Amino acid sequence: MTASSAQRLATWLIAVISVGYPMLGLIYLSSGRLDVTLVVLAALAGCWIPHVLNMWAALRGVRPPLFPLTVVVQAVATYLPDPFLPSGWSGVTAQLLAGTLLLYLPLWAAGPLLALMTAVQLGGIMVTLNIPVVAALYAVTIPISGIIVYVVVRLVAVSRELESARAGLAEAAVLKERLRISRDLHDGLGRSLTAIALKGDLAARLLDRDPGTARAEVGDLVKVAREAAQDVRQVARGYRELTLRGETQRAASLLEASGVSVQVNLADAVPPRASEEALAWAVREGITNVLRHSAATTCTITTAAQAGRLRLEIVNDGAPGTPREDGSGLTGLAERAGQAGGSVAAHADGGAFRLVVEVPA
């Protein structure tokens, strides 16, 4: 569950609780007594306004601006009107206070307070109705409502933390690759470029007085330049030939470390080298996009051989929308697949993103 969907769920549940219980107190307005009406309206405002401020701040992971005044005002407005109303007032607002106490007080303080509030509620209903079962069922709504509010708010916080951790892992993977390239370029190309510069200077100095030696130095320079070009290719490939199974295993490990459930189903077909490299690059690019541009919780990587073609599909949930047309990743991937005689298609549908690559098998 993403942070945004968790927040929507929490908002709706808290809204139902925040509106549902106080509505029961509006029954007092039917009495027609002005004093009762004024007490009810004042108590309703005193409970509901600070409760909304407390819940809004909790969903954003902060404390309300006037904390702890908002908690104190809500507590006073919950129990102070009891002596002024025929059947009490806390019975319809203590459930809201329970959630606030669990969110803003340590458990060692909030737990006893909730137990005391439940006992007060039980005693009050027993005095009014003298029906133990009804009294117990109604009194237990205080801890239950408080726990529901606490759990859904913590769900929002945990979802936000997981989303941040996923983004951090993706950024860390990118940074690690940048550091690898920087290190490999320095170690691998530094020597070659220095040799090229030295041999070029030497050849220039020998060109007039010793043309034969100069030509030999130029030949060595060309050889070193070719080695440097090979070094660049090795750096780009991570000092290894890309294989579909190797890239898939690395992708699955990275996804699982990021909290994404992975299913892998690869066909036994052995495609040509160009096709396998194109698919391996597709897995690398596709998983990078999953980690950086989605809030995925599940991802599947499958291949299937059919009619002389090998089809790779990477499907993940949590897609924000249609793929960005200005990104270079899919464009470069389409170029690689095209060089191998294949094609690339990508689209988002109903919150799922599908990347399809087909190459000759």
Short mmCIF file of all heavy atoms in Angstrom, two decimals, residues 196-239:
data_model
loop_
_atom_site.label_atom_id
_atom_site.label_comp_id
_atom_site.label_asym_id
_atom_site.label_seq_id
_atom_site.Cartn_x
_atom_site.Cartn_y
_atom_site.Cartn_z
N ILE A 196 48.81 7.37 -24.12
CA ILE A 196 48.52 7.98 -25.42
C ILE A 196 49.17 9.36 -25.51
O ILE A 196 49.78 9.72 -26.54
CB ILE A 196 46.99 8.08 -25.62
CG1 ILE A 196 46.40 6.68 -25.85
CG2 ILE A 196 46.65 8.98 -26.80
CD1 ILE A 196 44.89 6.65 -25.89
N ALA A 197 49.04 10.15 -24.46
CA ALA A 197 49.64 11.49 -24.48
C ALA A 197 51.16 11.42 -24.60
O ALA A 197 51.77 12.17 -25.38
CB ALA A 197 49.24 12.25 -23.22
N LEU A 198 51.78 10.54 -23.83
CA LEU A 198 53.24 10.43 -23.87
C LEU A 198 53.73 9.96 -25.24
O LEU A 198 54.70 10.49 -25.79
CB LEU A 198 53.73 9.47 -22.78
CG LEU A 198 53.56 9.97 -21.33
CD1 LEU A 198 53.96 8.88 -20.36
CD2 LEU A 198 54.39 11.23 -21.10
N LYS A 199 53.10 8.93 -25.80
CA LYS A 199 53.52 8.42 -27.10
C LYS A 199 53.24 9.43 -28.21
O LYS A 199 54.01 9.52 -29.18
CB LYS A 199 52.82 7.09 -27.39
CG LYS A 199 53.34 5.94 -26.54
CD LYS A 199 52.70 4.63 -26.90
CE LYS A 199 53.31 3.48 -26.10
NZ LYS A 199 54.75 3.27 -26.42
N GLY A 200 52.18 10.18 -28.08
CA GLY A 200 51.91 11.22 -29.07
C GLY A 200 52.98 12.30 -29.05
O GLY A 200 53.46 12.74 -30.11
N ASP A 201 53.38 12.75 -27.86
CA ASP A 201 54.46 13.74 -27.75
C ASP A 201 55.77 13.18 -28.30
O ASP A 201 56.52 13.89 -29.01
CB ASP A 201 54.63 14.16 -26.29
CG ASP A 201 53.46 14.98 -25.78
OD1 ASP A 201 52.72 15.53 -26.62
OD2 ASP A 201 53.29 15.05 -24.54
N LEU A 202 56.08 11.93 -27.96
CA LEU A 202 57.32 11.33 -28.42
C LEU A 202 57.33 11.19 -29.94
O LEU A 202 58.35 11.48 -30.59
CB LEU A 202 57.50 9.96 -27.76
CG LEU A 202 58.78 9.19 -28.14
CD1 LEU A 202 60.01 10.02 -27.78
CD2 LEU A 202 58.81 7.84 -27.43
N ALA A 203 56.22 10.76 -30.51
CA ALA A 203 56.15 10.63 -31.96
C ALA A 203 56.32 11.98 -32.65
O ALA A 203 56.98 12.08 -33.69
CB ALA A 203 54.81 9.99 -32.36
N ALA A 204 55.74 13.04 -32.07
CA ALA A 204 55.89 14.37 -32.66
C ALA A 204 57.34 14.82 -32.63
O ALA A 204 57.83 15.45 -33.60
CB ALA A 204 55.01 15.36 -31.91
N ARG A 205 58.06 14.52 -31.55
CA ARG A 205 59.47 14.93 -31.46
C ARG A 205 60.36 14.12 -32.39
O ARG A 205 61.38 14.62 -32.90
CB ARG A 205 59.95 14.79 -30.02
CG ARG A 205 59.34 15.79 -29.05
CD ARG A 205 60.13 15.86 -27.76
NE ARG A 205 60.16 14.56 -27.09
CZ ARG A 205 59.29 14.18 -26.17
NH1 ARG A 205 58.30 15.00 -25.82
NH2 ARG A 205 59.37 12.99 -25.60
N LEU A 206 60.00 12.84 -32.64
CA LEU A 206 60.83 11.98 -33.48
C LEU A 206 60.47 12.05 -34.96
O LEU A 206 61.17 11.43 -35.79
CB LEU A 206 60.70 10.52 -33.01
CG LEU A 206 61.24 10.21 -31.61
CD1 LEU A 206 60.90 8.77 -31.25
CD2 LEU A 206 62.74 10.44 -31.53
N LEU A 207 59.39 12.76 -35.27
CA LEU A 207 58.88 12.73 -36.64
C LEU A 207 59.91 13.20 -37.66
O LEU A 207 60.03 12.63 -38.75
CB LEU A 207 57.61 13.59 -36.73
CG LEU A 207 56.82 13.48 -38.04
CD1 LEU A 207 56.37 12.03 -38.26
CD2 LEU A 207 55.62 14.41 -38.02
N ASP A 208 60.69 14.24 -37.33
CA ASP A 208 61.65 14.79 -38.29
C ASP A 208 62.97 14.04 -38.29
O ASP A 208 63.52 13.73 -39.35
CB ASP A 208 61.90 16.28 -37.98
CG ASP A 208 60.66 17.13 -38.22
OD1 ASP A 208 59.85 16.74 -39.09
OD2 ASP A 208 60.48 18.16 -37.52
N ARG A 209 63.51 13.71 -37.11
CA ARG A 209 64.85 13.12 -37.07
C ARG A 209 64.85 11.59 -37.12
O ARG A 209 65.87 10.99 -37.44
CB ARG A 209 65.60 13.60 -35.82
CG ARG A 209 65.04 13.14 -34.51
CD ARG A 209 65.96 13.59 -33.36
NE ARG A 209 65.54 13.11 -32.06
CZ ARG A 209 64.77 13.77 -31.23
NH1 ARG A 209 64.31 14.97 -31.59
NH2 ARG A 209 64.44 13.26 -30.06
N ASP A 210 63.75 10.95 -36.80
CA ASP A 210 63.72 9.48 -36.82
C ASP A 210 62.31 9.01 -37.19
O ASP A 210 61.55 8.53 -36.35
CB ASP A 210 64.13 8.93 -35.46
CG ASP A 210 64.40 7.43 -35.52
OD1 ASP A 210 64.10 6.81 -36.56
OD2 ASP A 210 64.88 6.88 -34.50
N PRO A 211 61.93 9.13 -38.47
CA PRO A 211 60.56 8.79 -38.89
C PRO A 211 60.19 7.34 -38.60
O PRO A 211 59.03 7.05 -38.26
CB PRO A 211 60.59 9.06 -40.41
CG PRO A 211 61.71 10.02 -40.60
CD PRO A 211 62.73 9.65 -39.59
N GLY A 212 61.14 6.42 -38.72
CA GLY A 212 60.81 5.02 -38.45
C GLY A 212 60.35 4.79 -37.03
O GLY A 212 59.35 4.12 -36.77
N THR A 213 61.12 5.34 -36.08
CA THR A 213 60.73 5.20 -34.67
C THR A 213 59.42 5.92 -34.40
O THR A 213 58.59 5.45 -33.61
CB THR A 213 61.85 5.75 -33.77
OG1 THR A 213 63.08 5.10 -34.07
CG2 THR A 213 61.50 5.54 -32.30
N ALA A 214 59.22 7.08 -35.05
CA ALA A 214 57.97 7.82 -34.87
C ALA A 214 56.78 6.99 -35.33
O ALA A 214 55.73 6.96 -34.69
CB ALA A 214 58.04 9.15 -35.63
N ARG A 215 56.94 6.31 -36.51
CA ARG A 215 55.84 5.45 -36.98
C ARG A 215 55.56 4.32 -36.00
O ARG A 215 54.41 3.94 -35.77
CB ARG A 215 56.19 4.90 -38.36
CG ARG A 215 56.02 5.92 -39.49
CD ARG A 215 56.04 5.22 -40.83
NE ARG A 215 57.35 4.61 -41.09
CZ ARG A 215 58.37 5.24 -41.68
NH1 ARG A 215 58.23 6.51 -42.06
NH2 ARG A 215 59.52 4.61 -41.89
N ALA A 216 56.62 3.77 -35.41
CA ALA A 216 56.41 2.70 -34.43
C ALA A 216 55.65 3.21 -33.21
O ALA A 216 54.76 2.53 -32.66
CB ALA A 216 57.76 2.12 -34.02
N GLU A 217 56.03 4.44 -32.78
CA GLU A 217 55.32 5.01 -31.64
C GLU A 217 53.86 5.28 -31.96
O GLU A 217 52.97 5.09 -31.13
CB GLU A 217 56.02 6.31 -31.19
CG GLU A 217 57.40 6.11 -30.59
CD GLU A 217 57.35 5.31 -29.31
OE1 GLU A 217 56.31 5.31 -28.62
OE2 GLU A 217 58.36 4.65 -28.97
N VAL A 218 53.61 5.74 -33.18
CA VAL A 218 52.21 5.97 -33.59
C VAL A 218 51.44 4.67 -33.61
O VAL A 218 50.27 4.59 -33.22
CB VAL A 218 52.16 6.67 -34.97
CG1 VAL A 218 50.73 6.70 -35.50
CG2 VAL A 218 52.70 8.09 -34.87
N GLY A 219 52.11 3.59 -34.07
CA GLY A 219 51.45 2.29 -34.04
C GLY A 219 51.11 1.86 -32.63
O GLY A 219 50.02 1.32 -32.38
N ASP A 220 52.06 2.08 -31.71
CA ASP A 220 51.75 1.76 -30.31
C ASP A 220 50.62 2.62 -29.78
O ASP A 220 49.79 2.17 -28.98
CB ASP A 220 53.01 1.96 -29.46
CG ASP A 220 54.07 0.91 -29.73
OD1 ASP A 220 53.71 -0.14 -30.29
OD2 ASP A 220 55.24 1.15 -29.37
N LEU A 221 50.60 3.88 -30.20
CA LEU A 221 49.53 4.79 -29.75
C LEU A 221 48.17 4.27 -30.19
O LEU A 221 47.20 4.29 -29.43
CB LEU A 221 49.80 6.19 -30.31
CG LEU A 221 48.89 7.33 -29.84
CD1 LEU A 221 49.66 8.65 -29.86
CD2 LEU A 221 47.65 7.47 -30.71
N VAL A 222 48.08 3.81 -31.44
CA VAL A 222 46.81 3.26 -31.94
C VAL A 222 46.40 2.03 -31.13
O VAL A 222 45.22 1.85 -30.78
CB VAL A 222 46.93 2.92 -33.43
CG1 VAL A 222 45.68 2.17 -33.92
CG2 VAL A 222 47.13 4.19 -34.25
N LYS A 223 47.39 1.19 -30.80
CA LYS A 223 47.09 0.00 -30.01
C LYS A 223 46.55 0.37 -28.63
O LYS A 223 45.57 -0.22 -28.15
CB LYS A 223 48.35 -0.84 -29.88
CG LYS A 223 48.15 -2.13 -29.09
CD LYS A 223 49.44 -2.93 -29.00
CE LYS A 223 49.25 -4.19 -28.18
NZ LYS A 223 50.52 -4.96 -28.06
N VAL A 224 47.20 1.36 -27.99
CA VAL A 224 46.73 1.79 -26.67
C VAL A 224 45.34 2.40 -26.77
O VAL A 224 44.49 2.20 -25.89
CB VAL A 224 47.73 2.78 -26.05
CG1 VAL A 224 47.18 3.36 -24.74
CG2 VAL A 224 49.07 2.10 -25.80
N ALA A 225 45.09 3.15 -27.84
CA ALA A 225 43.76 3.75 -28.03
C ALA A 225 42.69 2.68 -28.16
O ALA A 225 41.58 2.81 -27.63
CB ALA A 225 43.77 4.66 -29.24
N ARG A 226 43.00 1.60 -28.88
CA ARG A 226 42.04 0.52 -29.00
C ARG A 226 41.79 -0.16 -27.65
O ARG A 226 40.67 -0.54 -27.33
CB ARG A 226 42.55 -0.50 -30.02
CG ARG A 226 42.47 0.00 -31.46
CD ARG A 226 43.13 -0.96 -32.42
NE ARG A 226 42.99 -0.49 -33.79
CZ ARG A 226 43.64 -1.00 -34.83
NH1 ARG A 226 44.51 -2.01 -34.62
NH2 ARG A 226 43.45 -0.53 -36.04
N GLU A 227 42.87 -0.31 -26.89
CA GLU A 227 42.69 -0.87 -25.55
C GLU A 227 41.82 0.04 -24.69
O GLU A 227 41.00 -0.44 -23.89
CB GLU A 227 44.06 -1.07 -24.89
CG GLU A 227 44.90 -2.17 -25.53
CD GLU A 227 46.28 -2.26 -24.91
OE1 GLU A 227 46.61 -1.38 -24.09
OE2 GLU A 227 47.03 -3.21 -25.24
N ALA A 228 42.00 1.36 -24.83
CA ALA A 228 41.17 2.30 -24.07
C ALA A 228 39.70 2.18 -24.47
O ALA A 228 38.80 2.23 -23.62
CB ALA A 228 41.66 3.73 -24.30
N ALA A 229 39.46 2.00 -25.78
CA ALA A 229 38.08 1.81 -26.23
C ALA A 229 37.47 0.54 -25.62
O ALA A 229 36.30 0.52 -25.22
CB ALA A 229 38.02 1.76 -27.74
N GLN A 230 38.30 -0.51 -25.56
CA GLN A 230 37.83 -1.75 -24.93
C GLN A 230 37.54 -1.53 -23.44
O GLN A 230 36.57 -2.07 -22.90
CB GLN A 230 38.87 -2.85 -25.12
CG GLN A 230 38.48 -4.19 -24.51
CD GLN A 230 37.26 -4.79 -25.18
OE1 GLN A 230 36.96 -4.50 -26.33
NE2 GLN A 230 36.54 -5.63 -24.45
N ASP A 231 38.38 -0.73 -22.79
CA ASP A 231 38.15 -0.41 -21.38
C ASP A 231 36.81 0.29 -21.19
O ASP A 231 36.08 0.02 -20.23
CB ASP A 231 39.28 0.47 -20.84
CG ASP A 231 40.58 -0.29 -20.67
OD1 ASP A 231 40.53 -1.54 -20.64
OD2 ASP A 231 41.64 0.36 -20.58
N VAL A 232 36.47 1.21 -22.10
CA VAL A 232 35.19 1.92 -22.01
C VAL A 232 34.03 0.94 -22.11
O VAL A 232 33.06 1.01 -21.36
CB VAL A 232 35.09 3.00 -23.10
CG1 VAL A 232 33.69 3.60 -23.13
CG2 VAL A 232 36.12 4.10 -22.85
N ARG A 233 34.15 0.00 -23.07
CA ARG A 233 33.07 -0.99 -23.21
C ARG A 233 32.96 -1.86 -21.97
O ARG A 233 31.86 -2.21 -21.53
CB ARG A 233 33.32 -1.84 -24.46
CG ARG A 233 33.06 -1.12 -25.76
CD ARG A 233 33.05 -2.08 -26.93
NE ARG A 233 34.38 -2.61 -27.20
CZ ARG A 233 35.27 -2.04 -28.02
NH1 ARG A 233 34.96 -0.91 -28.64
NH2 ARG A 233 36.45 -2.59 -28.22
N GLN A 234 34.08 -2.20 -21.38
CA GLN A 234 34.04 -3.02 -20.17
C GLN A 234 33.44 -2.26 -19.00
O GLN A 234 32.70 -2.83 -18.19
CB GLN A 234 35.46 -3.50 -19.83
CG GLN A 234 35.99 -4.56 -20.78
CD GLN A 234 37.41 -4.97 -20.44
OE1 GLN A 234 38.15 -4.22 -19.81
NE2 GLN A 234 37.78 -6.17 -20.85
N VAL A 235 33.76 -0.97 -18.90
CA VAL A 235 33.16 -0.16 -17.84
C VAL A 235 31.65 -0.10 -18.01
O VAL A 235 30.88 -0.23 -17.06
CB VAL A 235 33.78 1.25 -17.83
CG1 VAL A 235 32.98 2.18 -16.91
CG2 VAL A 235 35.23 1.19 -17.37
N ALA A 236 31.21 0.12 -19.26
CA ALA A 236 29.77 0.22 -19.52
C ALA A 236 29.05 -1.09 -19.20
O ALA A 236 27.91 -1.09 -18.74
CB ALA A 236 29.54 0.60 -20.97
N ARG A 237 29.73 -2.21 -19.41
CA ARG A 237 29.11 -3.52 -19.16
C ARG A 237 29.40 -4.04 -17.76
O ARG A 237 29.00 -5.15 -17.42
CB ARG A 237 29.60 -4.53 -20.19
CG ARG A 237 29.16 -4.20 -21.61
CD ARG A 237 29.62 -5.27 -22.58
NE ARG A 237 29.20 -4.94 -23.94
CZ ARG A 237 29.41 -5.73 -24.98
NH1 ARG A 237 29.99 -6.90 -24.81
NH2 ARG A 237 29.02 -5.37 -26.18
N GLY A 238 30.09 -3.28 -16.95
CA GLY A 238 30.39 -3.74 -15.61
C GLY A 238 31.37 -4.88 -15.58
O GLY A 238 31.31 -5.74 -14.70
N TYR A 239 32.30 -4.93 -16.52
CA TYR A 239 33.31 -5.99 -16.59
C TYR A 239 32.69 -7.38 -16.68
O TYR A 239 33.19 -8.34 -16.13
CB TYR A 239 34.26 -5.92 -15.39
CG TYR A 239 35.21 -4.76 -15.47
CD1 TYR A 239 34.97 -3.63 -14.70
CD2 TYR A 239 36.32 -4.80 -16.30
CE1 TYR A 239 35.84 -2.55 -14.77
CE2 TYR A 239 37.18 -3.72 -16.36
CZ TYR A 239 36.94 -2.60 -15.60
OH TYR A 239 37.79 -1.54 -15.67
#
